[in-house]
Amino acid sequence: MSDTKVWYITGASKGMGLSLAKQLLAKGHKVAATSRSVAAFDQLASYGDGFLPLEVDLKSEQSIAVSIKKTIEKFGELNVVVNNAGYGLGGALEELSAEEISENFEVNFFAVVRVVQQALPYLRKQRSGHIINISSIAGFAPGLGWSMYCAAKFAVSGLTEALANDLKPLGINVTNVLPGWFRTNFAKADSIVYNQNQIDDYAYLREYHEKMNNMDGAQMGDPDKIADAFLELIRSQSPAVNLFLGSDAFNRAKSKIEQLNIQMDSWKEVSYTTDFKS
Ligand SMILES: NC(=O)c1ccc[n+]([C@@H]2O[C@H](COP(=O)([O-])OP(=O)(O)OC[C@H]3O[C@@H](n4cnc5c(N)ncnc54)[C@H](OP(=O)(O)O)[C@@H]3O)[C@@H](O)[C@H]2O)c1
């Protein structure tokens, strides 16, 4: 089997998606990349025939279906699907409108569902492939002030773990990627959405939003190193179901697991009380 693969990456006009696409193309892989505007892909034109820019509305099943069909028509197969597109939503739950919440879930979670549903018929037929869903450390160990973003990323993490079990017998690997802070556009004003409505009692949460804004440009994670991590993942005989990216994500996850263990042990007796006794 060829060592270079056909990749389909969502939200690849900037940040992690763009870094990943560039690194893979430079290594000879074929990349189909989606964006809301293909004009953003002019910078990748020099990669020629190995690159397929796709203007896709990730909220439309039809738009995604057409883009995956075009990928197969151009490259003949599909090996790795990376659900990368997403954006942060800050605010206390009470402060967020129904529209702010549903838009975030549409992009961060339901787009993943749609892409996986449209890709699976091809991967199933091949009896091979790797689906990589980009969740977040927030989809495992939530921080303060991002409740709905965390909920959407937990949904991605939950779906991905379940898919890893369901699809293994069909020869399809599935990995949930949980990055810590990466130096992308993510913390910039045009990539993050904050609650329009503010409730004074939640003023303490603004501090955590400020922390995020101030981190812009100083995050530990290097997006240009993600491609090598993903290549190691897809070449592995036993790929991780959950891959934490960055030492910050790794340590935050470890700390949550330790706390969960302590809490479970101290509540074990109560947990056991609900069993039938005979
Ligand atoms: N950077 C971090 O610190 C960090 C940490 C944990 C998790 N993540 C996750 O990593 C993924 C990539 O983030 P990034 O850091 O590379 O962010 P980024 O630089 O802001 O890029 C995000 C990408 O997602 C797409 N996107 C954003 N809002 C969208 C919307 N409303 N509809 C459709 N597409 C949209 C954009 O696609 P277009 O090309 O259409 O503009 C863009 O290319 C996201 O899922 C994010 O939640 C990031």
Side-chain angles (χ1 to χ4, degrees), residues 245-258:
L245 276 190
S247 58
D248 54 346
F250 187 92
N251 291 325
R252 193 162 134 189
K254 280 276 189 193
S255 163
K256 158 141 185 196
I257 292 164
E258 279 162 21

Side-chain angles (χ1 to χ4, degrees), residues 11 13 15-16 35-36 84-86 149 153 179-180 182 184-186 191:
S13 73
M16 289 188 199
S35 174
R36 285 163 291 181
N84 165 74
Y149 175 72
K153 290 300 190 178
F182 270 75
T184 65
N185 279 70
F186 191 73
S191 278

